[in-house]
Amino acid sequence: MAGEFDYEVSRKLWEAAVPVEIYSEREDDSIDACQPCYVMLPRCSYFPIHLPRILEQMGAREHGVKLEIEKVWLESNGIPLKIYYPIGVLFDLHRSVDSPTLTVTIKTSSRPEELQFVSKDTMEAMFMQSVKEANYLKYRKNEIVSTMKMDEHKQLWGSLVHDRFDDFWSVNRRLMEFTDERPFHDIPVRLYTIGKPFRQILQPPFHENGEPRTLYNALNSLSSDLLQDEKYQFISHGVILPMETPLTYLGKNLAYPDNFVHICTVTVHNPHV
């Protein structure tokens, strides 16, 4: 079946990490002269989970300067980062084409109005809200999250925070059940483009004639302009997705821990232009 769960694929995606190059900005709006801090962060995780440790390390390197988490925000290549997006999404979306790392600057100036402070607790609430939304899209009135115990909710988040794949999947596999008797109504997909809110519309896994819908069908339903002249690549987990990929496969195997398939729209780089 096109939507069969592949344990090894899911484990490898969970274990994937990305290199992040972090600078600290001084109050006079100049970049600190010291060397940047380099960290490997899990693709499937979120900055609010790791930011306290990063700020502690950066503060120690700046002779004990205390960077208060409530007062800083992150920027990459001049663009404020929405740190409630998965780290893997931010990496695929904002990494410069000529750099192996995502370059991030810790800003201490006034936070842009469009950015909200996201604490670790707030991130947990946002994560669980996404899980519930994805589950509703897949199962509608038969959704599972509302029948789960609070301990199971906590286990989903705690497993992500502490990098416990098997503990996570012991709960999450119930949210991924896909059978002929219990099919998905829709595949939870979000499409990201720099400078715009993510796009999301209902994506049924099958055509009315029963044929599987593919990534091409999903993108065409969002906007036919996306597919013109092959201007864009569509990336998830750092992988360029083939247009013929069935949505059921994406939903079962390439969903992030919040159960959404997060796809980044990246302009094709042509060095000859």
Side-chain angles (χ1 to χ4, degrees), residues 29 32 51 53 102 108 120 133 158 182 188 212 244 254-255 265:
D29 205 35
D32 193 347
L51 198 51
R53 176 173 56 86
L102 172 66
T108 55
K120 186 176 177 181
E133 181 181 351
R182 189 181 176 81
E244 65 273 16
L254 268 71
T265 305

Side-chain angles (χ1 to χ4, degrees), residues 1-15 165-166 169 172-173 176-178 184 237 248-255:
M1 180 184 291
E4 195 67 33
F5 171 65
D6 190 319
Y7 178 88
E8 287 305 318
V9 168
S10 295
R11 174 176 279 281
K12 287 182 182 299
L13 293 180
W14 176 280
E15 293 174 347
F165 176 79
D166 289 327
W169 272 99
N172 195 60
R173 63 167 39 95
M176 287 292 183
E177 292 177 354
F178 178 92
F184 290 161
H237 297 281
T248 48
Y249 183 87
L250 293 177
K252 288 287 287 186
N253 295 294
L254 268 71

Side-chain angles (χ1 to χ4, degrees), residues 17 33 37 65 84 89 92 94 96 102 123 150 155 176 191:
C37 173
V65 173
Y84 49 87
V89 170
D92 292 338
H94 293 281
S96 297
L102 172 66
M123 189 68 248
M150 183 56 66
Q155 184 170 329
M176 287 292 183
L191 185 71

Side-chain angles (χ1 to χ4, degrees), residues 82-116:
K82 298 176 179 178
I83 61 173
Y84 49 87
Y85 286 0
I87 291 171
V89 170
L90 294 174
F91 184 88
D92 292 338
L93 203 58
H94 293 281
R95 180 180 65 88
S96 297
V97 68
D98 57 351
S99 173
T101 65
L102 172 66
T103 301
V104 173
T105 301
I106 299 173
K107 306 280 284 188
T108 55
S109 55
S110 297
R111 189 189 308 273
E113 291 184 1
E114 68 272 17
L115 279 191
Q116 58 178 311

Side-chain angles (χ1 to χ4, degrees), residues 33-223:
C34 75
Q35 293 296 315
C37 173
Y38 291 92
V39 293
M40 294 293 292
L41 297 178
R43 270 190 169 273
C44 290
S45 192
Y46 298 88
F47 268 110
I49 294 174
H50 304 277
L51 198 51
R53 176 173 56 86
I54 292 171
L55 293 182
E56 183 178 348
Q57 292 177 352
M58 296 296 289
R61 294 180 63 163
E62 295 186 22
H63 309 292
V65 173
K66 184 174 178 58
L67 296 170
E68 299 180 42
I69 192 168
E70 298 87 356
K71 296 181 179 179
V72 303
W73 51 282
L74 305 184
E75 179 186 86
S76 181
N77 297 318
I79 300 174
L81 294 182
K82 298 176 179 178
I83 61 173
Y84 49 87
Y85 286 0
I87 291 171
V89 170
L90 294 174
F91 184 88
D92 292 338
L93 203 58
H94 293 281
R95 180 180 65 88
S96 297
V97 68
D98 57 351
S99 173
T101 65
L102 172 66
T103 301
V104 173
T105 301
I106 299 173
K107 306 280 284 188
T108 55
S109 55
S110 297
R111 189 189 308 273
E113 291 184 1
E114 68 272 17
L115 279 191
Q116 58 178 311
F117 167 64
V118 181
S119 67
K120 186 176 177 181
D121 289 343
T122 301
M123 189 68 248
E124 178 181 0
M126 296 176 76
F127 171 79
M128 286 308 305
Q129 183 57 41
S130 287
V131 171
K132 292 175 182 177
E133 181 181 351
N135 194 237
Y136 177 79
L137 290 172
K138 286 186 285 189
Y139 297 114
R140 295 296 192 272
K141 293 181 180 179
N142 294 320
E143 58 94 12
I144 299 168
V145 174
S146 62
T147 66
M148 294 169 61
K149 299 177 181 178
M150 183 56 66
D151 287 349
E152 292 177 303
H153 289 190
K154 291 295 184 182
Q155 184 170 329
L156 284 174
W157 176 250
S159 300
L160 182 62
V161 171
H162 299 292
D163 191 22
R164 297 170 180 163
F165 176 79
D166 289 327
D167 287 350
F168 178 84
W169 272 99
S170 68
V171 176
N172 195 60
R173 63 167 39 95
R174 292 175 55 195
L175 309 180
M176 287 292 183
E177 292 177 354
F178 178 92
T179 64
D180 292 336
E181 295 75 26
R182 189 181 176 81
F184 290 161
H185 284 266
D186 289 286
I187 306 299
V189 176
R190 288 175 176 170
L191 185 71
Y192 297 81
T193 305
I194 287 182
K196 299 179 180 179
F198 65 75
R199 285 182 277 184
Q200 176 183 328
I201 65 173
L202 297 180
Q203 295 292 348
F206 299 104
H207 292 288
E208 291 184 359
N209 63 3
E211 289 294 314
R213 293 182 75 243
T214 64
L215 175 62
Y216 178 92
N217 300 136
L219 294 172
N220 195 48
S221 69
L222 284 163
S223 173

